[in-house]
Amino acid sequence: MYSNSISSSCITPVAAVGANLVELILYGNDKARYSGWSALAGVLPHLRLERLDCSRCSGMGCDGAGVIAAVLPKCKALQCLSMVRCAIGDRGGRALASALLVIASADSQGQQSLKSIDASWNRLTGECAKAIVNECVTVGWDVEQMPGGFRKE
């Protein structure tokens, strides 16, 4: 679904049809706004997605990142999340950091599969970026290996 100008109203049907999808690439769909991200977040925990790429979806912002972050701990199959250049500010970054804290707890019990997250080229300040890095370290991810992103070794 790369750069198809998918609007918010189209994200839900795209996600719902993909019950057996392992990869969903929404890269470059700038028209998707909060309502679309909220709808996607509503179905994400029920999908078998291993990779979700929302990069260059500048309409996501803090609100969209927040609703996606809220369901991340429920996405047991998700291994890789990319949110590069999504206009995410500190509020969205704090939501991601909070989700990583919950994931750390689930991961210690073998109930979580998220291995990498890339939120580079957003609007995060140093303080918020540091909070995300700290949570990645808590989760046990290698913060030196991926430029702008983090992954679990």
Side-chain angles (χ1 to χ4, degrees), residues 2-55:
Y2 173 81
S3 288
N4 280 309
S5 297
I6 294 175
S7 67
S8 294
S9 62
C10 296
I11 288 183
T12 303
V14 166
V17 167
N20 292 316
L21 284 178
V22 293
E23 186 173 277
L24 180 59
I25 300 173
L26 296 170
Y27 182 100
N29 288 290
D30 287 336
K31 291 186 180 181
R33 300 289 185 250
Y34 174 78
S35 60
W37 299 114
S38 181
L40 178 62
V43 297
L44 270 179
H46 308 289
L47 302 178
R48 296 183 185 132
L49 280 182
E50 294 176 5
R51 178 174 180 237
L52 176 60
D53 187 347
C54 305
S55 297

Side-chain angles (χ1 to χ4, degrees), residues 31-136:
K31 291 186 180 181
R33 300 289 185 250
Y34 174 78
S35 60
W37 299 114
S38 181
L40 178 62
V43 297
L44 270 179
H46 308 289
L47 302 178
R48 296 183 185 132
L49 280 182
E50 294 176 5
R51 178 174 180 237
L52 176 60
D53 187 347
C54 305
S55 297
R56 291 189 180 259
C57 293
S58 60
M60 176 182 279
C62 291
D63 292 336
V67 295
I68 297 295
V71 299
L72 283 180
K74 299 175 187 173
C75 300
K76 303 302 182 192
L78 190 64
Q79 296 178 22
C80 179
L81 174 64
S82 183
M83 300 170 100
V84 175
R85 292 187 189 253
C86 289
I88 301 169
D90 285 349
R91 189 167 38 88
R94 284 190 296 275
L96 287 171
S98 295
L100 290 172
L101 187 61
V102 174
I103 288 169
S105 174
D107 190 46
S108 68
Q109 300 167 13
Q111 300 173 344
Q112 192 65 44
S113 61
L114 189 63
K115 293 183 173 96
S116 71
I117 186 169
D118 191 347
S120 56
W121 293 97
N122 279 291
R123 299 174 181 162
L124 304 173
T125 63
E127 182 104 359
C128 186
K130 183 178 177 182
I132 293 173
V133 168
N134 288 341
E135 295 310 334
C136 287

